[in-house]
Structures are given as C-alpha cells and as structure tokens.
C-alpha cells in the first residue's frame, strides 16, 4: 500500500492506494475516532459490485452503516438529490459525529462530499473512489458540489475528507470507456507538472491499458502526490491550483454545450487538452514536437482529440466558455503549457485564436 499525505494543517489527511482496501474500510475508519453511525452513499452501478463489502467491513468494526443509493450518472449531481440524501440522513438520525462514506466515482464523491459539507453544517466523510478519474482527481483536494441548469459544478463547497481509500481492485469492474476517460486526467498531470511522469506514461501505455496493478499503483500514487502538492499550496484556487484546469476551459464547454453525458469528462478534457496545447504553441512557444507528443499519447490511449462543430454548435460552445466561472471580465482565460511538465495559468486568449485551434 502507498500512502500520500495531503498537507492542509489541521485538516491534513491520507490517501491510501493499494489492492484489497475496501475490505479494510471499517478498520481504517476505526482509526479516525468517528461516531458509530454512518451512511454509505453510492450509486446504482457501484452499489451492485461493492456496497455489500463496504457495509460488511464497517459492521465488522462496530459501525452501524446505512446505505443510500442514488441513480448512476451525472444527473444525480443536482440539488434535488442532495435533498433526498438529507432526508435519508435525518430519517436514520445521523448526528454531527456520524460520518459519510462516498463509495463511487466523481459523481458520488462530489454529491456525497457536498452532503457531508452541509448536513448539520458539516460532518466527517471518507472517500472510496471507484473510478480511475475519481482516484486520481475528484477524490483529492476537497472540491465538492452539484450542477445547476446554468452550468456544471456551480453550487458547492471546499470540504476535505478525513481519508481517501483508492482500492485498485475496484477498477477491475470499470467499463473500458470510463477507464480510458480517466486516463485523460492522468496524462494531464504529466503535461502540467511532471515531464518524467509523462515519459513513463508514454513508455508504459500498453501496461496501463491492460490495467496492470503495479503500473497503476505507481501512476495513481504519483498523480495523487501531484494534486496534493498543488492543493497543499493553494487550497481554494487563488493561484497555482488553477493549473489543474489544463484542458478544462474548452473541456467543460464541450461537456456543457453538448449536453451532459454525450462526452465523458476525461474525453471532453482530452479534446480541451489538445486545443490548449495548440494554443500554448501559438502563445508560449510550446515546441511543435511536444504538441505532437501530447496528441499522440491521447490518441494512442483511445481518447477523442477533436470535435466537429457547425456554426450553431460553435456559438453554443463559446457561450458555455464565457459562462465558465473561470472567466473574468469577459476575457476567456486559459491554463497553458510552456513545455511538457510546466504550466502557467490565467492567460487571456483571444476568441479568434480559440476558433483557429478548434478547426
Ligand atoms: N471534485 C473534483 O475535484 C472533480 C474533479 C474532476 C471531476 N469531477 C467530477 O467527477 C464527475 C465524473 O466522475 P466519474 O468519471 O468518476 O463519473 P461517475 O461517477 O459517473 O462514474 C462513471 C460511471 O462508472 C460507474 N462506476 C463507477 N465505479 C465503477 C466500478 N468500479 N465498476 C463499475 N462501474 C463503476 C458509475 O456508476 C458511472 O456509471 C463529474 O461530475 C465531474 O464534474 C470532480
Ligand atoms: Zn477534470
């Protein structure tokens, strides 16, 4: 098992990465000095595979868990579902010392984290991320929240978990498309922060695609380390943390304007990362060879890197980009790469240039 520490003063916590961790959930929670009652929030897919094991492990350590299952999919990340969760927590009389376990992908993590942040003005929570994306990204760093009609993640809170358990065995049941989508976030860490990781990913892509456990343990722990280091320096995104949004300005707009669900998150940001790499070449002189390396890695992993848009769709995409909360004063700001392994943030980019790289 690998342990990555997230250094946030009194709210510091550990991310544990390894096989068989779900069966240790109860024992791990027992070390955190939490109340006896807890709620495991999961979704209809993940619950089928892992709810029983989670409940069993918690009960074996003396906890009294209840299960709250929401329908699988992005649609569960909304206020109405938050309210249903509150009602169930109230019905089961969870108290402020009780805790919440988020068992699932990014949707469950964001939703359950927001519920934990707000129910009784905050109760402890533990993340058990079951998608690759959730293990390397959404479960780390404390962003929680739900979508509004006006856009993704518009309502939420910064709220840190007490522990994150990344069980590598959980990835075995993940559908291939979801797994590859998660690789989109993995590659991002190499591009923005770690040229050595990027080179390893290029070298070990076949093993990664086979979900080789040893390779995954290395890669997931390194991604968590990078995210933890970035978040540790800038928890609430007043600066450096913005680099984690590489590929996300266009990526979010792609998700948003094409209707939630058409592109998976990692697919949308794959398109966004290639566009951001091309903008980086034009604005910061990112070498053409590195733009090619980035595009090649994403393509070889099976990720989409282009989107075909007619005029109306393009207008929709730009409108979505302008609505993004990272926009300020009407200018669209981007995270760009100076070279593979180093990114800068807050760079205003003219709309004409964005149009060029999307064509
Ligand atoms: N909080 C953050 O910092 C942050 C960062 C990145 C993304 N996100 C959010 O994360 C969400 C996307 O997360 P996701 O890609 O994990 O999607 P997801 O949670 O919807 O999971 C994808 C699908 O896989 C299923 N699934 C999950 N684990 C499984 C497993 N082990 N075996 C079989 N099926 C499984 C789910 O039921 C779902 O159908 C988006 O809402 C995005 O906004 C948040
Ligand atoms: Zn992302």
């Amino acid at each position: 098992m690998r342990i990555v520490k997230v250094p946030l003063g009194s709210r510091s916590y550990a991310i544990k990465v390894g096989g068989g961790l779900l069966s240790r959930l109860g024992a791990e929670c027992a070390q955190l000095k939490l109340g006896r009652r807890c709620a495991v929030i999961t979704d209809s897919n993940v619950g089928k595979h892992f709810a029983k094991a989670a409940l069993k492990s918690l009960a074996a350590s003396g906890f009294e868990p209840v299960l709250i299952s929401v329908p699988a999919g992005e649609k569960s990340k909304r206020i109405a579902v938050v309210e249903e969760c509150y009602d169930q927590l109230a019905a089961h009389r969870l108290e402020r010392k009780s805790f919440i376990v988020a068992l699932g992908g990014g949707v469950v993590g964001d939703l359950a984290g927001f519920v934990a942040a707000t129910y009784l003005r905050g109760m402890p929570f533990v993340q058990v991320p079951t998608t690759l994306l959730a293990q390397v990204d959404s479960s780390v760093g404390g962003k929680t929240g739900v979508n509004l009609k006006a856009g993704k993640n518009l309502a939420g809170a910064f709220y840190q978990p007490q522990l994150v358990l990344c069980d590598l065995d959980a990835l075995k049941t993940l559908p291939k498309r979801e797994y590859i989508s998660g690789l989109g976030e993995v590659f991002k860490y190499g591009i923005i922060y770690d040229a050595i990781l990027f080179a390893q990913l290029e070298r070990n892509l076949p093993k990664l695609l086979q979900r080789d456990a040893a390779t995954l343990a290395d890669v997931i722990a390194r991604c968590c380390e990078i995210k933890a280091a970035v978040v540790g320096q800038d928890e609430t995104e007043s600066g450096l943390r913005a680099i984690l949004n590489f590929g996300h300005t266009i990526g979010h707009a792609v998700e948003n304007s094409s209707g939630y669900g058409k592109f998976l998150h990692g697919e949308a940001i794959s398109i966004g990362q290639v566009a951001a790499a091309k903008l980086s070449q034009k604005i910061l002189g990112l070498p053409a060879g590195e733009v090619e390396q980035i595009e090649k890695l994403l393509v070889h992993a099976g990720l989409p890197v282009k989107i075909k848009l007619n005029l109306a769709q393009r207008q929709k995409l730009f409108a979505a980009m302008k609505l993004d909360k990272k926009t300020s004063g009407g200018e669209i700001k981007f995270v760009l790469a100076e070279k593979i392994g180093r990114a800068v943030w807050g760079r205003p980019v003219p709309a004409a240039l964005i149009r060029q790289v999307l064509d």
Side-chain angles (χ1 to χ4, degrees):
M1 179 169 73
R2 279 151 224 245
I3 300 180
V4 178
K5 296 242 162 74
V6 186
L8 293 168
S10 61
R11 287 163 304 117
S12 299
Y13 61 93
I15 302 166
K16 301 189 175 178
V17 182
L21 288 181
L22 187 61
S23 63
R24 293 184 40 80
L25 173 63
E28 293 285 347
C29 290
Q31 290 177 23
L32 298 173
K33 303 202 171 66
L34 304 163
R36 272 226 311 243
R37 261 179 230 164
C38 59
V40 176
I41 300 184
T42 190
D43 76 23
S44 45
N45 289 336
V46 179
K48 266 186 269 179
H49 295 296
F50 307 115
K52 219 170 152 186
L55 296 175
K56 189 176 156 201
S57 172
L58 286 163
S61 290
F63 294 107
E64 292 168 14
V66 297
L67 185 67
I68 299 177
S69 183
V70 303
E74 187 72 29
K75 284 213 171 76
S76 278
K77 246 179 78 173
R78 62 192 158 95
I79 293 289
V81 179
V82 171
E83 198 180 357
E84 284 163 23
C85 291
Y86 291 155
D87 289 342
Q88 294 213 41
L89 295 177
H92 292 289
R93 296 167 190 256
L94 266 82
E95 301 157 356
R96 199 181 277 171
K97 270 199 183 152
S98 312
F99 64 100
I100 287 179
V101 176
L103 174 67
V107 165
V108 165
D110 282 12
L111 168 76
F114 186 64
V115 168
T118 48
Y119 188 70
L120 301 178
R121 298 193 180 82
M123 54 198 292
F125 92 113
V126 170
Q127 293 255 33
V128 185
T130 61
T131 64
L132 180 57
L133 178 132
Q135 296 193 349
V136 298
D137 188 5
S138 61
S139 69
V140 188
K143 277 192 186 177
T144 71
V146 293
N147 304 321
L148 301 181
K149 280 194 201 83
K152 268 183 70 72
N153 303 322
L154 286 181
F158 285 101
Y159 195 66
Q160 302 295 344
Q162 308 251 323
L163 171 71
V164 180
L165 291 182
C166 297
D167 188 342
L168 298 174
D169 295 327
L171 300 179
K172 289 180 183 162
T173 54
L174 193 62
K176 186 174 173 201
R177 188 176 165 202
E178 296 289 349
Y179 179 79
I180 288 173
S181 167
L183 288 176
E185 293 283 3
V186 168
F187 301 144
K188 179 192 79 181
Y189 289 105
I191 299 169
I192 61 169
Y193 206 85
D194 188 348
I196 294 171
L197 172 66
F198 189 88
Q200 279 169 354
L201 293 168
E202 284 179 311
R203 230 181 13 252
N204 292 335
L205 185 64
K207 278 187 184 165
L208 256 187
L209 290 171
Q210 289 157 18
R211 308 188 197 190
D212 173 68
T215 309
L216 271 173
D218 280 345
V219 165
I220 291 171
R222 181 64 191 136
C223 291
C224 289
E225 243 169 49
I226 293 172
K227 186 155 185 190
V230 170
V231 172
Q233 290 170 65
D234 175 24
E235 187 181 359
T236 55
E237 199 166 329
S238 43
L240 180 71
R241 185 168 181 162
I243 65 169
L244 297 171
N245 290 319
F246 183 76
H248 282 57
T249 307
I250 289 174
H252 278 160
V254 166
E255 278 181 298
N256 208 338
S257 63
S258 58
Y260 297 144
K262 180 161 189 290
F263 285 99
L264 299 180
H265 181 71
E267 295 170 349
I269 66 149
S270 174
I271 294 167
Q273 288 188 84
V274 169
K278 289 178 178 165
L279 289 171
S280 303
Q281 182 185 4
K282 288 179 189 293
I283 293 169
L284 294 179
L286 174 69
E290 297 194 4
V291 178
E292 223 170 274
Q293 268 178 284
I294 291 170
E295 185 163 0
K296 218 165 136 188
L297 183 59
L298 296 169
V299 168
H300 284 174
L303 284 161
V305 292
K306 281 195 196 93
I307 183 170
K308 271 211 178 107
L309 298 171
N310 61 33
L311 192 64
Q313 287 166 327
R314 182 190 285 167
Q315 277 167 348
K316 225 173 141 188
L317 185 86
F318 273 80
M321 240 185 297
K322 287 186 178 138
L323 228 163
D324 194 293
K325 56 191 181 304
K326 274 121 211 155
T327 314
S328 57
E331 254 178 347
I332 300 175
K333 297 216 170 123
F334 272 78
V335 181
L336 300 175
E338 285 174 349
K339 57 179 187 178
I340 288 176
R342 193 155 78 217
V344 295
W345 68 92
R347 293 302 171 107
V349 175
L353 221 49
I354 303 173
R355 242 172 258 131
Q356 247 182 54
V357 301
L358 283 174
D359 281 340

